[in-house]
Amino acid sequence: MAEELVIRVTAMPTDLNPYGGVFGGWLMSQLALGAGSLASRRGQGKAVVVHATDFTFPGAMQVGDELSVYAEIVGQGRTSFTVQARGQGRERNGEATVDVARGTFKFVLLGEDDRPRAIDLAE
């Protein structure tokens, strides 16, 4: 499958760390939100994160920069998806972009009883 744009958001002053850059925890949460959106859409239901790993922060963002989150399903189990997510920052007043975050997430699909359910292979 190909990488898909799942979120686009602007970094605001509340998203900064004490040094004036965008806080890595905010970037991680945006990656998780985007990856979860893709897992829920593909699984056609509730998908909860059970594992997050391999975070890297190769670039930096400033307040006002735009973050685009791209996600791709890279693995599938009986009840789970593994999703790689990538955050790309674009400077506020231009077109220059830089990768600012990457991470891998595992989501388990839940049924109406909030118990793991099998992925429908007919999808």
Side-chain angles (χ1 to χ4, degrees), residues 64-79:
D65 288 355
E66 181 181 85
L67 176 69
S68 296
V69 177
Y70 298 89
E72 177 179 11
I73 294 176
V74 295
Q76 180 176 320
R78 191 179 74 76
T79 64

Side-chain angles (χ1 to χ4, degrees), residues 21-46:
V22 171
F23 178 53
W26 180 79
L27 291 169
M28 291 169 68
S29 70
Q30 297 303 311
L31 295 182
L33 287 169
S37 174
L38 180 61
S40 291
R41 193 167 73 242
R42 290 290 164 76
Q44 298 183 345
K46 189 186 290 186

Side-chain angles (χ1 to χ4, degrees), residues 83-115:
V83 181
Q84 284 185 342
R86 174 176 67 90
Q88 182 183 67
R90 182 187 58 80
E91 65 185 13
R92 179 160 185 84
N93 299 318
E95 297 300 322
T97 61
V98 62
D99 280 356
V100 294
R102 291 181 181 274
T104 302
F105 301 85
K106 181 172 274 190
F107 290 87
V108 170
L109 301 180
L110 300 181
E112 290 187 22
D113 60 356
D114 284 337
R115 307 225 2 113

